[in-house]
Amino acid sequence: MKYKSKNDFLNTVVDKYKDQQEFHQAVEEVIGSIWSTATKNKKYMQANILDRIIVPDRSIIFRVPWVDDNNNVQVNLGYRIQFNSSIGPYKGGLRFHPSVNLGILKFLAFEQVFKNSLTGLNLGGGKGGSNFDPKGKSDREIMRFCHSFMDELFRHIGRRTDIPAGDIGVGAKEIGYMFGQYKKIKNVFSGVLTGKGTNWGGSLIRPEATGYGLVYFTINMLETQDDALEGKTVTISGSGNVAQYACEKLIELGAKPVTLSDSSGFIYDPDGITQEKLEYVKKLKDSRSARISEYAKKYKVKFFANQNPWSIKCDIALPCATQNELDLRDAKKLTKNGCIVVAEGANMPCTKDAVHHFIDKKILFGPGKAANAGGVAVSGIEMSQNSTRIPLKREQVDNLLKGIMDKIHSTCVDFGSQKGFVNYVDGANIGGFVRIADSMVDQGVV
Ligand code: NDP
Ligand code: 2IT
């Protein structure tokens, strides 16, 4: 083998992709788990899976020009990373956020490859987006931006090639504008995007799926210790799609969510966020410019400016905002305060050191690629409804979602059990990897 050790391999990744720290972090986490599985397998080594799996099939970068409300011409960068298609067409969200760059999208697309594999569906991995900032933009500006973005993206996607969906800054509204433009350019009505409106091919439960799935996975983890969700106090970060529906399912199942946040700070509601209060948050956050601090004013609770919620005592913590939002200091605060479960609703919200801390302390830690896979799983179910042209009922989709989360959980247990402890990071990485690697071997050097 050309690498002396795992660290030798990882050093070459850092050298090759100097400015892509988030990508290094994601690769290091996966390689840390799969190194021995990969290097002991003769077929994987002959096919050089290790070198091949960390390089995207292609990275597309393009100009997105648009006209703002003052008639000024603006330009953003658009991206689509088509990472791996060994088990299905590329699938993964689009993120619109000023922090978006190639390294961030490569980490997200790389994670998506393993996440999609874990769902058991035939979905390859991809991710895309733009450094466009939807905050402070009018609806018309967002529409013009989405149309221009699709003016280029359309030539790279298709229902059997690459099927984007939402992520940070992209929800039903943006998917609508992009779908409309794709249909106009191609003159085909197809399931080329997921997260569509239910009038035009969207699946019931898709908006809820990531948050609901996260809670189902949390329950599965608790059950391994004969514990249950009811009565547990839960801290949540974020107040967007994933955070809102995680909160909703927690309320329904008798847990007590006490925090929500955004990039300005967090609110702490010690009495618990109720469904009525959550409906207020959903309406408030219809506008991406609205701030969660409004909740504090309305319900007379405390708002902590420029802080995250990990100092609040809880049984369960669900980071649902963004990458690296929970570091070692936060992790120590959580375990010191008695937190027994951390499940990642966001992609890679915990830093490497924070993850190691949780595993050292042997608490239940659910990595994003397993715990937040419910969203892409229901996207897969939306695709199959588009193909059959038969929409499923709410309960049918919810049952399929539960079944997929159960299956992901048992894959993690199968591949991650270590002397009475489940290392979900290893379980998810190895479980996701084996299916991809076997498929790559089957298909030869392509
Ligand atoms: P939304 O745009 O709906 O909400 C994002 C939330 O996170 C907002 O509250 C936002 O606050 C906060 N946030 C974003 N960036 C930052 C930041 N840099 N610092 C602090 N807070 C921040 O996105 P989603 O809920 O869809 O996505 C949240 C996470 O879940 C992401 O990591 C995403 O990749 C992941 N995910 C999403 C899935 C989906 O189906 N949507 C599926 C699986 C994972 P503000 O309004 O101030 O920006
Ligand atoms: O990170 C993710 O899994 C998503 N943003 C959802 C992807 C999808 O295709 O539904």
Side-chain angles (χ1 to χ4, degrees):
M1 196 190 25
K2 71 183 196 204
Y3 301 105
K4 287 189 224 79
S5 64
K6 181 165 69 184
N7 283 342
D8 189 21
F9 176 85
L10 291 171
N11 288 337
T12 64
V13 176
V14 174
D15 277 354
K16 264 191 211 152
Y17 310 108
K18 290 215 164 43
D19 301 328
Q20 301 178 2
Q21 292 86 351
E22 291 85 0
F23 180 59
H24 306 157
Q25 188 183 339
V27 170
E28 186 175 340
E29 193 220 84
V30 170
I31 295 293
S33 300
I34 64 155
W35 184 256
S36 127
T37 308
T39 52
K40 281 188 192 139
N41 185 309
K42 220 170 137 193
K43 278 202 223 157
Y44 295 170
M45 293 311 280
Q46 275 169 352
N48 197 3
I49 297 296
L50 279 173
D51 272 346
R52 287 166 62 204
I53 207 163
I54 58 156
V55 181
D57 289 356
R58 63 191 69 77
S59 304
I60 301 149
I61 307 183
F62 51 96
R63 180 181 65 232
V64 188
W66 55 283
V67 179
D68 70 19
D69 287 345
N70 299 321
N71 253 342
N72 294 317
V73 177
Q74 304 285 348
V75 182
N76 287 95
L77 285 176
Y79 302 82
R80 187 72 184 164
I81 315 301
Q82 298 181 330
F83 216 108
N84 190 302
S85 60
S86 56
I87 61 167
Y90 308 107
K91 180 87 197 86
L94 295 170
R95 177 177 291 191
F96 292 169
H97 192 272
S99 63
V100 160
N101 59 35
L102 184 61
I104 288 183
L105 291 179
K106 275 181 67 185
F107 117 64
L108 288 163
F110 182 72
E111 286 283 294
Q112 198 82 43
V113 171
F114 300 92
K115 182 194 304 192
N116 293 2
S117 169
L118 283 168
T119 65
L121 303 174
N122 284 104
L123 301 171
K127 200 88 185 189
S130 174
N131 58 355
F132 174 75
D133 186 358
K135 281 201 197 83
K137 303 291 188 298
S138 70
D139 268 10
R140 285 297 155 120
E141 287 177 321
I142 290 175
M143 181 185 78
R144 288 194 291 272
F145 176 81
C146 288
H147 285 173
S148 180
F149 185 79
M150 190 50 85
D151 284 343
E152 175 59 32
L153 187 69
F154 86 94
R155 52 185 112 249
H156 309 290
I157 62 176
R159 73 186 177 95
R160 294 201 172 111
T161 306
D162 185 353
I163 306 93
D167 194 79
I168 292 177
V170 177
K173 179 164 65 183
E174 293 76 14
I175 294 291
Y177 294 145
M178 288 190 272
F179 183 83
Q181 189 72 347
Y182 182 87
K183 182 165 60 65
K184 176 162 182 176
I185 298 170
K186 297 282 283 187
N187 197 22
V188 286
F189 190 106
S190 79
V192 65
L193 295 159
T194 59
K196 299 184 289 297
T198 44
N199 286 328
W200 38 281
S203 176
L204 291 169
I205 305 275
R206 176 61 189 90
E208 296 89 336
T210 312
Y212 282 15
L214 175 68
V215 175
Y216 297 150
F217 194 85
T218 299
I219 294 170
N220 286 332
M221 289 201 293
L222 283 165
E223 282 172 353
T224 63
Q225 303 197 343
D226 297 322
D227 206 344
L229 184 72
E230 206 181 339
K232 296 279 189 296
T233 298
V234 187
T235 49
I236 304 174
S237 65
S239 49
N241 172 272
V242 180
Q244 288 173 17
Y245 288 103
C247 191
E248 180 162 288
K249 189 49 81 176
L250 291 169
I251 297 166
E252 184 194 326
L253 298 181
K256 187 166 128 184
V258 292
T259 67
L260 286 171
S261 76
D262 61 24
S263 54
S264 318
F266 79 95
I267 60 101
Y268 174 43
D269 188 341
D271 294 335
I273 298 162
T274 58
Q275 188 64 36
E276 190 195 325
K277 293 173 182 173
L278 179 62
E279 292 305 328
Y280 167 78
V281 174
K282 287 185 191 170
K283 279 219 183 74
L284 177 76
K285 285 289 177 175
D286 260 355
S287 155
R288 296 195 183 272
S289 308
R291 300 293 80 203
I292 196 68
S293 52
E294 293 300 315
Y295 180 109
K297 284 188 204 143
K298 182 163 169 73
Y299 295 110
K300 310 214 171 358
V301 299
K302 258 187 143 173
F303 172 68
F304 298 79
N306 303 318
Q307 290 182 50
N308 68 35
W310 314 128
S311 55
I312 300 296
K313 188 173 161 52
C314 64
D315 304 303
I316 298 170
L318 303 178
C320 297
T322 194
Q323 64 274 0
N324 291 328
E325 55 162 314
L326 193 164
D327 65 14
L328 180 61
R329 263 184 52 216
D330 301 320
K332 285 182 173 163
K333 277 186 235 162
L334 282 168
T335 52
K336 191 162 166 252
N337 281 335
C339 176
I340 52 167
V341 182
V342 177
E344 296 185 322
N347 286 306
M348 210 169 73
C350 300
T351 63
K352 182 176 91 175
D353 294 343
V355 174
H356 287 168
H357 176 75
F358 294 138
I359 292 174
D360 283 349
K361 291 282 172 193
K362 292 201 160 37
I363 70 158
L364 296 165
F365 173 72
K369 61 172 76 66
N372 72 35
V376 75
V378 173
S379 278
I381 295 165
E382 180 169 323
M383 287 161 64
S384 74
Q385 292 171 79
N386 294 160
S387 298
T388 58
R389 295 186 160 78
I390 302 173
L392 298 176
K393 297 194 170 72
R394 222 182 137 78
E395 308 76 63
Q396 290 175 304
V397 180
D398 199 25
N399 283 334
L400 288 169
L401 169 62
K402 267 190 203 131
I404 291 174
M405 297 316 293
D406 286 352
K407 183 174 176 295
I408 295 174
H409 183 265
S410 44
T411 302
C412 291
V413 173
D414 289 348
F415 286 95
S417 289
Q418 301 166 357
K419 296 181 197 137
F421 168 69
V422 182
N423 181 327
Y424 286 87
V425 174
D426 283 352
N429 286 332
I430 301 170
F433 169 74
V434 168
R435 185 171 172 221
I436 300 290
D438 286 343
S439 306
M440 288 173 74
V441 169
D442 289 346
Q443 292 166 28
V445 182
V446 287

